[in-house]
Amino acid sequence: MAHTHDPLNPHSHDPNPAPPSENTDFQTTLPNGETRIITLDDLRGLPQTTVPDCYIVTTGHGTSGPFAFGGVRFADFVHHLWDGKWNVAEIISGDGFGTRLTADEANASTSRPILLAITIDDRPLTRADGLVRLIVPSETDDALKQVKWVGAIKIV
Ligand SMILES: Nc1nc2c(c(=O)[nH]1)N[C@H]1C(S)=C(S)[C@@H](COP(=O)(O)O)O[C@H]1N2
Ligand SMILES: [Mo]
């Protein structure tokens, strides 16, 4: 049987150090099928949240952090684009890595919300750092949800 690569089920824990491109814009697909191109300026224009004491826990490459990541709550990001109900979001990077989030996870009332991060320790994230990066502070055993270089988001 052919082995196909599913970006939402990454098996490799080898983190890719190299950005797929310099372009930080990404496409978002809404539940009605419409698409929007999201720029850094769009994200900068939304309310900003900082989550301190985040760690990137790699398998076999050690743990880095603590970092204070700043950016837009994922729930606020979706709400800005889509007023209605949604269930799941698929977040895929330009290098074919990704994860799935549920609306329940994103909307959970917590001081450590899921972010689309654009800053780290009060400075802009660089493209090499992963800009725009999904940060899931509750993931402390792995870094499979800490998606660097977000390239596409599909809201379902
Ligand atoms: N786009 C993208 N994001 C990714 C990965 C990747 O290969 N591509 N690897 C993941 C894994 S397995 C790890 S351990 C961390 C590594 O993050 P770091 O490069 O900031 O240390 O990024 C995660 N996010
Ligand atoms: Mo990893």
Side-chain angles (χ1 to χ4, degrees), residues 10 12-17 20 56-59 61-62 64 67 69 92-98 128-130 133 142-150:
S12 167
H13 284 231
D14 275 339
N16 179 5
I56 303 295
V57 179
T58 73
T59 310
H61 305 266
S64 61
F67 302 114
F69 284 104
I92 315 247
S93 72
D95 63 327
F97 189 88
D129 292 332
R133 186 167 196 170
D142 237 330
L144 297 175
K145 297 181 178 179
Q146 318 297 323
V147 179
K148 299 186 281 190
W149 314 304
V150 169

Side-chain angles (χ1 to χ4, degrees), residues 24-28 36-40 42-43 77 80-81:
T24 53
D25 297 355
F26 62 89
Q27 177 172 287
T28 299
R36 302 274 190 276
I37 300 296
I38 308 299
T39 67
L40 285 180
D42 293 331
L43 294 179
F77 169 76
H80 170 71
L81 297 174

Side-chain angles (χ1 to χ4, degrees), residues 5 7-10 15 19 33-34 40-41 46 48 50 64 80 82 90 101 108 110 115 121 139 142 144 146 150 152:
H5 173 73
L8 294 173
N9 284 301
E34 285 180 23
L40 285 180
D41 278 345
L46 293 170
Q48 303 293 303
T50 300
S64 61
H80 170 71
W82 182 253
E90 298 171 355
L101 298 176
T110 166
L115 297 180
D121 294 338
E139 186 194 40
D142 237 330
L144 297 175
Q146 318 297 323
V150 169

